Amino acid sequence: MEKKATLTLSDGRSFELPTLPGTVGPEVVDIRSLYGKAGVFTYDPGFMSTASCNSTITYIDGDAGVLMYRGYPIEELAVHCDFLEVCYLLLNGELPNVKEKEKFVSTVTRHTMVHDQLNRFFTGFRRDAHPMATMVGVVGALSAFYHDSLDINDAEHRRVAAFRLIAKMPTIVAMAYKYSIGQPFIYPRNDLSYTANFMRMMFAVPAEEYKVNEVLVRALDRIFILHADHEQNASTSTVRLSGSSGANPFACIAAGIACLWGPAHGGANEACLQMLEEIGDVTKVGDFIKRVKDKQSGVRLMGFGHRVYKNYDPRAKLMRETCREVLGELGLENDRLFKVALALEKIALEDDYFISHKLYPNVDFYSGIVQRALGIPTALFTCIFSLARTVGWIAQWQEMIADPEYKIGRPRQLYRGATRRAVKPMAQR
Ligand code: CMC
């Protein structure tokens, strides 16, 4: 039997609204007909209770600390799969078999180079620009270079654009980095894995051979897996909203990158590492926690808290494990900032303020330490996040375009401004 919810307005009028079940998670009240029937809008800034779309890609249970891509728990994917398998899964709904993986990896690999003229595009930026500023510009500019994959109504164009974006993001991030430090761009190498190739493009110089360290490659690959998708977060919603007008995929992903840049979203691991640097020493942790608890100070414990997770972020657990592995491999077991992070986490998890506000470490709490140990500069952290999230953005964008219910996104508002009034001539104002 179809379930319904009843809404009674203050004037006594009642309306029945259908409810829609999910496969897991809360059911939703379908309010699409509400304005037509009742002439009222709903009010939900920040989308606290609003499902903006239906999706089959990623599921989060924030209270239980669960994250699944296409039904597979993140803990299993992080251990049994590499990033490109996870990309295949997000895009196609199933994990690849050996043949499917081979074909997918080969297609991605053959799209890693960028148009040669893009090299000159980079030189238009100041070398001291924030790399995310460069990324927003360069990724947006891809639509000026790849005219043959811009028709969003053509499934083949969408497929090619998806491959181009996933394959070229590592090249573009590495180019942004090389440009900022004044080193020559390193071209991709097709005999290396996706992540090893990225590390080489980042850290090799033409003057000597670059040796790939598999432990570090695996750690970075895990960072990519953990950041690959996170359902309808701010940047993904931005990509969907941009795409809903029919904008091309490169422009949409550039919009996602711009949104991700903010410190409350992708910029948090950069902010978290800066915070750890500022604290500097385990003896200062207690004082810092006091400042965080003092509302007047405006200080937040970066890398803690999440709109959806009201429990330990499952990605943070995996990242803490990776952090230990990387520091062990590099002989940095006594890393000062890792010690500060562990001390902060211990105190915060036992403190009433954090317990009562349900504040737990999120993925960014440890990922900054890992990236720093890998030699990635702080300013590049959000670029790494955008590289990894590109597949999620693209999968969500593809899903939206193929959805028969797809419409331009157009929220309504509660208007609280002036009511109608006449413009006075200048002399009377
Ligand atoms: N430190 C101290 N207090 C906090 C923190 C924090 N990190 N996060 C939330 N609170 C408090 C906040 O002061 C408020 O307290 P009260 O109810 O007493 O006024 C309460 O918790 C609710 O906070 P909110 O800002 O309304 O919660 P939100 O769901 O809008 O914000 C958040 C989520 C992630 C923006 C926030 O927790 C935050 O700013 N965290 C630090 C930044 C961070 O680590 N962001 C990375 C998110 S994970 C990466 C990603 O998925 O993009």
PDB file of all heavy atoms in Angstrom, residues 57-58 67 69 74 83 86-87 90 221-231 233 236 315 384-396:
ATOM      1  N   ILE A  57      24.279   5.778  -5.978  1.00  0.00           N
ATOM      2  CA  ILE A  57      25.741   5.706  -5.972  1.00  0.00           C
ATOM      3  C   ILE A  57      26.315   5.480  -4.567  1.00  0.00           C
ATOM      4  O   ILE A  57      26.985   4.480  -4.317  1.00  0.00           O
ATOM      5  CB  ILE A  57      26.344   6.969  -6.642  1.00  0.00           C
ATOM      6  CG1 ILE A  57      25.809   7.093  -8.085  1.00  0.00           C
ATOM      7  CG2 ILE A  57      27.876   6.906  -6.627  1.00  0.00           C
ATOM      8  CD1 ILE A  57      26.206   8.351  -8.823  1.00  0.00           C
ATOM      9  N   THR A  58      26.085   6.410  -3.673  1.00  0.00           N
ATOM     10  CA  THR A  58      26.757   6.358  -2.358  1.00  0.00           C
ATOM     11  C   THR A  58      25.730   6.447  -1.240  1.00  0.00           C
ATOM     12  O   THR A  58      24.764   7.211  -1.337  1.00  0.00           O
ATOM     13  CB  THR A  58      27.777   7.512  -2.261  1.00  0.00           C
ATOM     14  OG1 THR A  58      28.815   7.245  -3.195  1.00  0.00           O
ATOM     15  CG2 THR A  58      28.395   7.618  -0.880  1.00  0.00           C
ATOM     16  N   LEU A  67      29.779   4.211   5.452  1.00  0.00           N
ATOM     17  CA  LEU A  67      29.893   4.798   4.110  1.00  0.00           C
ATOM     18  C   LEU A  67      30.016   3.649   3.116  1.00  0.00           C
ATOM     19  O   LEU A  67      30.869   2.768   3.277  1.00  0.00           O
ATOM     20  CB  LEU A  67      31.139   5.698   4.038  1.00  0.00           C
ATOM     21  CG  LEU A  67      31.589   6.148   2.646  1.00  0.00           C
ATOM     22  CD1 LEU A  67      30.528   6.995   1.953  1.00  0.00           C
ATOM     23  CD2 LEU A  67      32.904   6.952   2.734  1.00  0.00           C
ATOM     24  N   TYR A  69      29.979   2.679  -1.201  1.00  0.00           N
ATOM     25  CA  TYR A  69      29.850   3.039  -2.616  1.00  0.00           C
ATOM     26  C   TYR A  69      29.138   1.874  -3.290  1.00  0.00           C
ATOM     27  O   TYR A  69      29.627   0.737  -3.238  1.00  0.00           O
ATOM     28  CB  TYR A  69      31.220   3.201  -3.297  1.00  0.00           C
ATOM     29  CG  TYR A  69      32.150   4.284  -2.772  1.00  0.00           C
ATOM     30  CD1 TYR A  69      33.528   4.189  -3.012  1.00  0.00           C
ATOM     31  CD2 TYR A  69      31.689   5.405  -2.083  1.00  0.00           C
ATOM     32  CE1 TYR A  69      34.410   5.163  -2.581  1.00  0.00           C
ATOM     33  CE2 TYR A  69      32.576   6.379  -1.638  1.00  0.00           C
ATOM     34  CZ  TYR A  69      33.932   6.259  -1.886  1.00  0.00           C
ATOM     35  OH  TYR A  69      34.809   7.224  -1.458  1.00  0.00           O
ATOM     36  N   ILE A  74      33.138   1.056   2.636  1.00  0.00           N
ATOM     37  CA  ILE A  74      34.414   1.709   2.308  1.00  0.00           C
ATOM     38  C   ILE A  74      35.595   0.924   2.882  1.00  0.00           C
ATOM     39  O   ILE A  74      36.663   0.856   2.264  1.00  0.00           O
ATOM     40  CB  ILE A  74      34.415   3.192   2.797  1.00  0.00           C
ATOM     41  CG1 ILE A  74      35.582   3.969   2.212  1.00  0.00           C
ATOM     42  CG2 ILE A  74      34.403   3.313   4.306  1.00  0.00           C
ATOM     43  CD1 ILE A  74      35.488   4.247   0.758  1.00  0.00           C
ATOM     44  N   PHE A  83      42.240   2.421  -6.777  1.00  0.00           N
ATOM     45  CA  PHE A  83      41.387   3.573  -7.075  1.00  0.00           C
ATOM     46  C   PHE A  83      40.647   3.416  -8.408  1.00  0.00           C
ATOM     47  O   PHE A  83      39.456   3.742  -8.497  1.00  0.00           O
ATOM     48  CB  PHE A  83      42.233   4.855  -7.062  1.00  0.00           C
ATOM     49  CG  PHE A  83      41.444   6.086  -7.415  1.00  0.00           C
ATOM     50  CD1 PHE A  83      40.388   6.516  -6.623  1.00  0.00           C
ATOM     51  CD2 PHE A  83      41.751   6.832  -8.554  1.00  0.00           C
ATOM     52  CE1 PHE A  83      39.643   7.653  -6.947  1.00  0.00           C
ATOM     53  CE2 PHE A  83      41.024   7.974  -8.883  1.00  0.00           C
ATOM     54  CZ  PHE A  83      39.970   8.377  -8.079  1.00  0.00           C
ATOM     55  N   VAL A  86      37.647   1.382  -8.103  1.00  0.00           N
ATOM     56  CA  VAL A  86      36.590   2.134  -7.422  1.00  0.00           C
ATOM     57  C   VAL A  86      35.947   3.133  -8.403  1.00  0.00           C
ATOM     58  O   VAL A  86      34.730   3.327  -8.408  1.00  0.00           O
ATOM     59  CB  VAL A  86      37.151   2.836  -6.161  1.00  0.00           C
ATOM     60  CG1 VAL A  86      36.164   3.830  -5.583  1.00  0.00           C
ATOM     61  CG2 VAL A  86      37.536   1.795  -5.117  1.00  0.00           C
ATOM     62  N   CYS A  87      36.763   3.726  -9.273  1.00  0.00           N
ATOM     63  CA  CYS A  87      36.222   4.630 -10.299  1.00  0.00           C
ATOM     64  C   CYS A  87      35.240   3.868 -11.186  1.00  0.00           C
ATOM     65  O   CYS A  87      34.138   4.347 -11.482  1.00  0.00           O
ATOM     66  CB  CYS A  87      37.340   5.187 -11.191  1.00  0.00           C
ATOM     67  SG  CYS A  87      38.390   6.386 -10.374  1.00  0.00           S
ATOM     68  N   LEU A  90      32.037   3.276  -9.298  1.00  0.00           N
ATOM     69  CA  LEU A  90      31.189   4.460  -9.144  1.00  0.00           C
ATOM     70  C   LEU A  90      30.499   4.813 -10.462  1.00  0.00           C
ATOM     71  O   LEU A  90      29.326   5.168 -10.481  1.00  0.00           O
ATOM     72  CB  LEU A  90      32.017   5.650  -8.647  1.00  0.00           C
ATOM     73  CG  LEU A  90      32.459   5.565  -7.177  1.00  0.00           C
ATOM     74  CD1 LEU A  90      33.502   6.621  -6.854  1.00  0.00           C
ATOM     75  CD2 LEU A  90      31.251   5.707  -6.231  1.00  0.00           C
ATOM     76  N   ASP A 221      46.870   6.177  -3.031  1.00  0.00           N
ATOM     77  CA  ASP A 221      45.741   5.519  -3.692  1.00  0.00           C
ATOM     78  C   ASP A 221      44.564   5.385  -2.718  1.00  0.00           C
ATOM     79  O   ASP A 221      43.408   5.574  -3.080  1.00  0.00           O
ATOM     80  CB  ASP A 221      46.190   4.136  -4.188  1.00  0.00           C
ATOM     81  CG  ASP A 221      45.306   3.623  -5.306  1.00  0.00           C
ATOM     82  OD1 ASP A 221      45.421   4.162  -6.429  1.00  0.00           O
ATOM     83  OD2 ASP A 221      44.505   2.710  -5.057  1.00  0.00           O
ATOM     84  N   ARG A 222      44.893   5.090  -1.459  1.00  0.00           N
ATOM     85  CA  ARG A 222      43.838   4.974  -0.446  1.00  0.00           C
ATOM     86  C   ARG A 222      43.177   6.343  -0.195  1.00  0.00           C
ATOM     87  O   ARG A 222      41.963   6.432  -0.043  1.00  0.00           O
ATOM     88  CB  ARG A 222      44.394   4.401   0.850  1.00  0.00           C
ATOM     89  CG  ARG A 222      43.332   4.247   1.893  1.00  0.00           C
ATOM     90  CD  ARG A 222      43.820   3.565   3.138  1.00  0.00           C
ATOM     91  NE  ARG A 222      43.730   2.119   3.030  1.00  0.00           N
ATOM     92  CZ  ARG A 222      43.875   1.305   4.083  1.00  0.00           C
ATOM     93  NH1 ARG A 222      44.130   1.796   5.280  1.00  0.00           N
ATOM     94  NH2 ARG A 222      43.768   0.006   3.929  1.00  0.00           N
ATOM     95  N   ILE A 223      43.988   7.388  -0.163  1.00  0.00           N
ATOM     96  CA  ILE A 223      43.414   8.740  -0.009  1.00  0.00           C
ATOM     97  C   ILE A 223      42.431   8.994  -1.150  1.00  0.00           C
ATOM     98  O   ILE A 223      41.321   9.497  -0.946  1.00  0.00           O
ATOM     99  CB  ILE A 223      44.531   9.815   0.007  1.00  0.00           C
ATOM    100  CG1 ILE A 223      45.343   9.690   1.302  1.00  0.00           C
ATOM    101  CG2 ILE A 223      43.955  11.216  -0.139  1.00  0.00           C
ATOM    102  CD1 ILE A 223      46.415  10.746   1.483  1.00  0.00           C
ATOM    103  N   PHE A 224      42.820   8.599  -2.368  1.00  0.00           N
ATOM    104  CA  PHE A 224      41.922   8.788  -3.518  1.00  0.00           C
ATOM    105  C   PHE A 224      40.617   8.000  -3.320  1.00  0.00           C
ATOM    106  O   PHE A 224      39.531   8.517  -3.551  1.00  0.00           O
ATOM    107  CB  PHE A 224      42.594   8.313  -4.818  1.00  0.00           C
ATOM    108  CG  PHE A 224      43.770   9.141  -5.276  1.00  0.00           C
ATOM    109  CD1 PHE A 224      44.626   8.663  -6.263  1.00  0.00           C
ATOM    110  CD2 PHE A 224      44.033  10.401  -4.747  1.00  0.00           C
ATOM    111  CE1 PHE A 224      45.707   9.407  -6.712  1.00  0.00           C
ATOM    112  CE2 PHE A 224      45.119  11.159  -5.185  1.00  0.00           C
ATOM    113  CZ  PHE A 224      45.962  10.648  -6.169  1.00  0.00           C
ATOM    114  N   ILE A 225      40.745   6.737  -2.870  1.00  0.00           N
ATOM    115  CA  ILE A 225      39.545   5.897  -2.694  1.00  0.00           C
ATOM    116  C   ILE A 225      38.609   6.535  -1.656  1.00  0.00           C
ATOM    117  O   ILE A 225      37.405   6.653  -1.867  1.00  0.00           O
ATOM    118  CB  ILE A 225      39.926   4.463  -2.246  1.00  0.00           C
ATOM    119  CG1 ILE A 225      40.663   3.737  -3.375  1.00  0.00           C
ATOM    120  CG2 ILE A 225      38.697   3.668  -1.798  1.00  0.00           C
ATOM    121  CD1 ILE A 225      41.249   2.383  -2.994  1.00  0.00           C
ATOM    122  N   LEU A 226      39.187   6.973  -0.541  1.00  0.00           N
ATOM    123  CA  LEU A 226      38.358   7.506   0.552  1.00  0.00           C
ATOM    124  C   LEU A 226      37.664   8.812   0.181  1.00  0.00           C
ATOM    125  O   LEU A 226      36.664   9.173   0.779  1.00  0.00           O
ATOM    126  CB  LEU A 226      39.211   7.730   1.817  1.00  0.00           C
ATOM    127  CG  LEU A 226      39.912   6.503   2.405  1.00  0.00           C
ATOM    128  CD1 LEU A 226      40.583   6.855   3.716  1.00  0.00           C
ATOM    129  CD2 LEU A 226      38.919   5.361   2.626  1.00  0.00           C
ATOM    130  N   HIS A 227      38.244   9.530  -0.794  1.00  0.00           N
ATOM    131  CA  HIS A 227      37.654  10.817  -1.171  1.00  0.00           C
ATOM    132  C   HIS A 227      36.840  10.739  -2.463  1.00  0.00           C
ATOM    133  O   HIS A 227      36.361  11.757  -2.947  1.00  0.00           O
ATOM    134  CB  HIS A 227      38.758  11.867  -1.343  1.00  0.00           C
ATOM    135  CG  HIS A 227      39.354  12.325  -0.046  1.00  0.00           C
ATOM    136  ND1 HIS A 227      40.369  11.649   0.575  1.00  0.00           N
ATOM    137  CD2 HIS A 227      39.058  13.382   0.747  1.00  0.00           C
ATOM    138  CE1 HIS A 227      40.683  12.278   1.697  1.00  0.00           C
ATOM    139  NE2 HIS A 227      39.901  13.333   1.834  1.00  0.00           N
ATOM    140  N   ALA A 228      36.682   9.531  -3.023  1.00  0.00           N
ATOM    141  CA  ALA A 228      36.120   9.419  -4.378  1.00  0.00           C
ATOM    142  C   ALA A 228      34.677   9.911  -4.486  1.00  0.00           C
ATOM    143  O   ALA A 228      34.285  10.493  -5.496  1.00  0.00           O
ATOM    144  CB  ALA A 228      36.232   7.978  -4.861  1.00  0.00           C
ATOM    145  N   ASP A 229      33.865   9.656  -3.467  1.00  0.00           N
ATOM    146  CA  ASP A 229      32.489  10.180  -3.523  1.00  0.00           C
ATOM    147  C   ASP A 229      31.960  10.314  -2.104  1.00  0.00           C
ATOM    148  O   ASP A 229      32.459   9.642  -1.178  1.00  0.00           O
ATOM    149  CB  ASP A 229      31.574   9.263  -4.349  1.00  0.00           C
ATOM    150  CG  ASP A 229      30.279   9.983  -4.701  1.00  0.00           C
ATOM    151  OD1 ASP A 229      30.345  11.149  -5.155  1.00  0.00           O
ATOM    152  OD2 ASP A 229      29.185   9.416  -4.497  1.00  0.00           O
ATOM    153  N   HIS A 230      30.987  11.174  -1.928  1.00  0.00           N
ATOM    154  CA  HIS A 230      30.413  11.334  -0.589  1.00  0.00           C
ATOM    155  C   HIS A 230      28.997  11.858  -0.698  1.00  0.00           C
ATOM    156  O   HIS A 230      28.631  12.846  -0.076  1.00  0.00           O
ATOM    157  CB  HIS A 230      31.293  12.265   0.263  1.00  0.00           C
ATOM    158  CG  HIS A 230      31.320  11.878   1.695  1.00  0.00           C
ATOM    159  ND1 HIS A 230      31.223  12.770   2.721  1.00  0.00           N
ATOM    160  CD2 HIS A 230      31.407  10.656   2.282  1.00  0.00           C
ATOM    161  CE1 HIS A 230      31.273  12.129   3.870  1.00  0.00           C
ATOM    162  NE2 HIS A 230      31.381  10.845   3.628  1.00  0.00           N
ATOM    163  N   GLU A 231      28.225  11.226  -1.494  1.00  0.00           N
ATOM    164  CA  GLU A 231      26.836  11.591  -1.885  1.00  0.00           C
ATOM    165  C   GLU A 231      26.632  13.093  -2.071  1.00  0.00           C
ATOM    166  O   GLU A 231      27.464  13.725  -2.689  1.00  0.00           O
ATOM    167  CB  GLU A 231      25.781  10.840  -1.049  1.00  0.00           C
ATOM    168  CG  GLU A 231      25.911  10.833   0.471  1.00  0.00           C
ATOM    169  CD  GLU A 231      24.750  11.507   1.155  1.00  0.00           C
ATOM    170  OE1 GLU A 231      24.391  12.646   0.781  1.00  0.00           O
ATOM    171  OE2 GLU A 231      24.220  10.884   2.117  1.00  0.00           O
ATOM    172  N   ASN A 233      27.177  16.094  -1.003  1.00  0.00           N
ATOM    173  CA  ASN A 233      27.902  17.156  -0.290  1.00  0.00           C
ATOM    174  C   ASN A 233      27.860  18.455  -1.101  1.00  0.00           C
ATOM    175  O   ASN A 233      27.366  18.477  -2.238  1.00  0.00           O
ATOM    176  CB  ASN A 233      29.338  16.701  -0.057  1.00  0.00           C
ATOM    177  CG  ASN A 233      29.980  16.324  -1.365  1.00  0.00           C
ATOM    178  OD1 ASN A 233      30.504  17.167  -2.066  1.00  0.00           O
ATOM    179  ND2 ASN A 233      29.884  15.062  -1.751  1.00  0.00           N
ATOM    180  N   THR A 236      29.435  18.367  -4.724  1.00  0.00           N
ATOM    181  CA  THR A 236      28.674  17.483  -5.625  1.00  0.00           C
ATOM    182  C   THR A 236      27.339  18.132  -5.976  1.00  0.00           C
ATOM    183  O   THR A 236      26.904  18.100  -7.131  1.00  0.00           O
ATOM    184  CB  THR A 236      28.454  16.104  -4.957  1.00  0.00           C
ATOM    185  OG1 THR A 236      29.737  15.567  -4.667  1.00  0.00           O
ATOM    186  CG2 THR A 236      27.694  15.158  -5.847  1.00  0.00           C
ATOM    187  N   ARG A 315      36.118   6.876   7.308  1.00  0.00           N
ATOM    188  CA  ARG A 315      37.316   7.209   6.520  1.00  0.00           C
ATOM    189  C   ARG A 315      38.456   7.628   7.439  1.00  0.00           C
ATOM    190  O   ARG A 315      39.627   7.416   7.138  1.00  0.00           O
ATOM    191  CB  ARG A 315      36.996   8.333   5.524  1.00  0.00           C
ATOM    192  CG  ARG A 315      35.880   7.993   4.563  1.00  0.00           C
ATOM    193  CD  ARG A 315      35.417   9.215   3.802  1.00  0.00           C
ATOM    194  NE  ARG A 315      34.943  10.279   4.675  1.00  0.00           N
ATOM    195  CZ  ARG A 315      34.670  11.520   4.286  1.00  0.00           C
ATOM    196  NH1 ARG A 315      34.820  11.856   3.027  1.00  0.00           N
ATOM    197  NH2 ARG A 315      34.235  12.424   5.140  1.00  0.00           N
ATOM    198  N   ILE A 384      44.461  17.643  -4.359  1.00  0.00           N
ATOM    199  CA  ILE A 384      44.453  16.176  -4.300  1.00  0.00           C
ATOM    200  C   ILE A 384      43.013  15.698  -4.077  1.00  0.00           C
ATOM    201  O   ILE A 384      42.547  14.748  -4.700  1.00  0.00           O
ATOM    202  CB  ILE A 384      45.353  15.673  -3.138  1.00  0.00           C
ATOM    203  CG1 ILE A 384      46.782  16.202  -3.283  1.00  0.00           C
ATOM    204  CG2 ILE A 384      45.295  14.160  -2.972  1.00  0.00           C
ATOM    205  CD1 ILE A 384      47.629  15.526  -4.311  1.00  0.00           C
ATOM    206  N   PHE A 385      42.314  16.382  -3.197  1.00  0.00           N
ATOM    207  CA  PHE A 385      40.910  16.051  -2.923  1.00  0.00           C
ATOM    208  C   PHE A 385      40.103  16.194  -4.216  1.00  0.00           C
ATOM    209  O   PHE A 385      39.308  15.318  -4.579  1.00  0.00           O
ATOM    210  CB  PHE A 385      40.410  16.993  -1.814  1.00  0.00           C
ATOM    211  CG  PHE A 385      39.084  16.645  -1.176  1.00  0.00           C
ATOM    212  CD1 PHE A 385      38.740  17.199   0.060  1.00  0.00           C
ATOM    213  CD2 PHE A 385      38.177  15.795  -1.784  1.00  0.00           C
ATOM    214  CE1 PHE A 385      37.529  16.908   0.673  1.00  0.00           C
ATOM    215  CE2 PHE A 385      36.951  15.503  -1.180  1.00  0.00           C
ATOM    216  CZ  PHE A 385      36.634  16.064   0.041  1.00  0.00           C
ATOM    217  N   SER A 386      40.335  17.278  -4.962  1.00  0.00           N
ATOM    218  CA  SER A 386      39.534  17.482  -6.178  1.00  0.00           C
ATOM    219  C   SER A 386      39.870  16.422  -7.232  1.00  0.00           C
ATOM    220  O   SER A 386      38.993  15.965  -7.961  1.00  0.00           O
ATOM    221  CB  SER A 386      39.684  18.898  -6.726  1.00  0.00           C
ATOM    222  OG  SER A 386      41.008  19.164  -7.053  1.00  0.00           O
ATOM    223  N   LEU A 387      41.125  16.011  -7.280  1.00  0.00           N
ATOM    224  CA  LEU A 387      41.520  14.923  -8.196  1.00  0.00           C
ATOM    225  C   LEU A 387      40.697  13.665  -7.877  1.00  0.00           C
ATOM    226  O   LEU A 387      40.097  13.046  -8.751  1.00  0.00           O
ATOM    227  CB  LEU A 387      43.015  14.660  -7.999  1.00  0.00           C
ATOM    228  CG  LEU A 387      43.804  13.661  -8.833  1.00  0.00           C
ATOM    229  CD1 LEU A 387      45.285  13.774  -8.477  1.00  0.00           C
ATOM    230  CD2 LEU A 387      43.367  12.249  -8.715  1.00  0.00           C
ATOM    231  N   ALA A 388      40.669  13.317  -6.585  1.00  0.00           N
ATOM    232  CA  ALA A 388      39.978  12.094  -6.172  1.00  0.00           C
ATOM    233  C   ALA A 388      38.471  12.210  -6.345  1.00  0.00           C
ATOM    234  O   ALA A 388      37.801  11.257  -6.745  1.00  0.00           O
ATOM    235  CB  ALA A 388      40.310  11.785  -4.714  1.00  0.00           C
ATOM    236  N   ARG A 389      37.910  13.375  -6.047  1.00  0.00           N
ATOM    237  CA  ARG A 389      36.453  13.547  -6.074  1.00  0.00           C
ATOM    238  C   ARG A 389      35.908  13.679  -7.495  1.00  0.00           C
ATOM    239  O   ARG A 389      34.692  13.535  -7.709  1.00  0.00           O
ATOM    240  CB  ARG A 389      36.076  14.760  -5.208  1.00  0.00           C
ATOM    241  CG  ARG A 389      34.595  15.057  -5.020  1.00  0.00           C
ATOM    242  CD  ARG A 389      33.779  13.911  -4.462  1.00  0.00           C
ATOM    243  NE  ARG A 389      34.217  13.385  -3.175  1.00  0.00           N
ATOM    244  CZ  ARG A 389      33.881  13.875  -1.983  1.00  0.00           C
ATOM    245  NH1 ARG A 389      33.075  14.920  -1.912  1.00  0.00           N
ATOM    246  NH2 ARG A 389      34.313  13.308  -0.867  1.00  0.00           N
ATOM    247  N   THR A 390      36.782  13.935  -8.467  1.00  0.00           N
ATOM    248  CA  THR A 390      36.310  14.119  -9.841  1.00  0.00           C
ATOM    249  C   THR A 390      35.441  12.940 -10.299  1.00  0.00           C
ATOM    250  O   THR A 390      34.396  13.137 -10.922  1.00  0.00           O
ATOM    251  CB  THR A 390      37.518  14.318 -10.786  1.00  0.00           C
ATOM    252  OG1 THR A 390      38.108  15.564 -10.426  1.00  0.00           O
ATOM    253  CG2 THR A 390      37.107  14.363 -12.243  1.00  0.00           C
ATOM    254  N   VAL A 391      35.834  11.720  -9.966  1.00  0.00           N
ATOM    255  CA  VAL A 391      35.041  10.568 -10.403  1.00  0.00           C
ATOM    256  C   VAL A 391      33.647  10.591  -9.772  1.00  0.00           C
ATOM    257  O   VAL A 391      32.651  10.286 -10.432  1.00  0.00           O
ATOM    258  CB  VAL A 391      35.751   9.223 -10.126  1.00  0.00           C
ATOM    259  CG1 VAL A 391      35.966   8.981  -8.658  1.00  0.00           C
ATOM    260  CG2 VAL A 391      34.964   8.082 -10.754  1.00  0.00           C
ATOM    261  N   GLY A 392      33.571  10.980  -8.500  1.00  0.00           N
ATOM    262  CA  GLY A 392      32.273  11.064  -7.834  1.00  0.00           C
ATOM    263  C   GLY A 392      31.411  12.132  -8.487  1.00  0.00           C
ATOM    264  O   GLY A 392      30.230  11.925  -8.786  1.00  0.00           O
ATOM    265  N   TRP A 393      32.005  13.294  -8.732  1.00  0.00           N
ATOM    266  CA  TRP A 393      31.259  14.380  -9.386  1.00  0.00           C
ATOM    267  C   TRP A 393      30.719  13.928 -10.734  1.00  0.00           C
ATOM    268  O   TRP A 393      29.564  14.161 -11.060  1.00  0.00           O
ATOM    269  CB  TRP A 393      32.177  15.595  -9.597  1.00  0.00           C
ATOM    270  CG  TRP A 393      32.552  16.337  -8.349  1.00  0.00           C
ATOM    271  CD1 TRP A 393      31.822  16.459  -7.198  1.00  0.00           C
ATOM    272  CD2 TRP A 393      33.748  17.103  -8.140  1.00  0.00           C
ATOM    273  NE1 TRP A 393      32.502  17.241  -6.294  1.00  0.00           N
ATOM    274  CE2 TRP A 393      33.672  17.652  -6.838  1.00  0.00           C
ATOM    275  CE3 TRP A 393      34.870  17.374  -8.922  1.00  0.00           C
ATOM    276  CZ2 TRP A 393      34.685  18.463  -6.304  1.00  0.00           C
ATOM    277  CZ3 TRP A 393      35.871  18.179  -8.396  1.00  0.00           C
ATOM    278  CH2 TRP A 393      35.784  18.719  -7.103  1.00  0.00           C
ATOM    279  N   ILE A 394      31.593  13.246 -11.497  1.00  0.00           N
ATOM    280  CA  ILE A 394      31.203  12.835 -12.849  1.00  0.00           C
ATOM    281  C   ILE A 394      30.114  11.762 -12.795  1.00  0.00           C
ATOM    282  O   ILE A 394      29.152  11.789 -13.557  1.00  0.00           O
ATOM    283  CB  ILE A 394      32.450  12.300 -13.602  1.00  0.00           C
ATOM    284  CG1 ILE A 394      33.256  13.469 -14.140  1.00  0.00           C
ATOM    285  CG2 ILE A 394      32.109  11.363 -14.718  1.00  0.00           C
ATOM    286  CD1 ILE A 394      32.624  14.129 -15.347  1.00  0.00           C
ATOM    287  N   ALA A 395      30.270  10.810 -11.863  1.00  0.00           N
ATOM    288  CA  ALA A 395      29.265   9.741 -11.744  1.00  0.00           C
ATOM    289  C   ALA A 395      27.904  10.349 -11.370  1.00  0.00           C
ATOM    290  O   ALA A 395      26.864   9.971 -11.923  1.00  0.00           O
ATOM    291  CB  ALA A 395      29.699   8.714 -10.702  1.00  0.00           C
ATOM    292  N   GLN A 396      27.924  11.315 -10.454  1.00  0.00           N
ATOM    293  CA  GLN A 396      26.671  11.944 -10.018  1.00  0.00           C
ATOM    294  C   GLN A 396      26.074  12.785 -11.147  1.00  0.00           C
ATOM    295  O   GLN A 396      24.855  12.822 -11.337  1.00  0.00           O
ATOM    296  CB  GLN A 396      26.932  12.831  -8.786  1.00  0.00           C
ATOM    297  CG  GLN A 396      27.497  12.088  -7.588  1.00  0.00           C
ATOM    298  CD  GLN A 396      26.454  11.607  -6.604  1.00  0.00           C
ATOM    299  OE1 GLN A 396      25.270  11.918  -6.727  1.00  0.00           O
ATOM    300  NE2 GLN A 396      26.874  10.846  -5.626  1.00  0.00           N
TER     301      GLN A 396
END
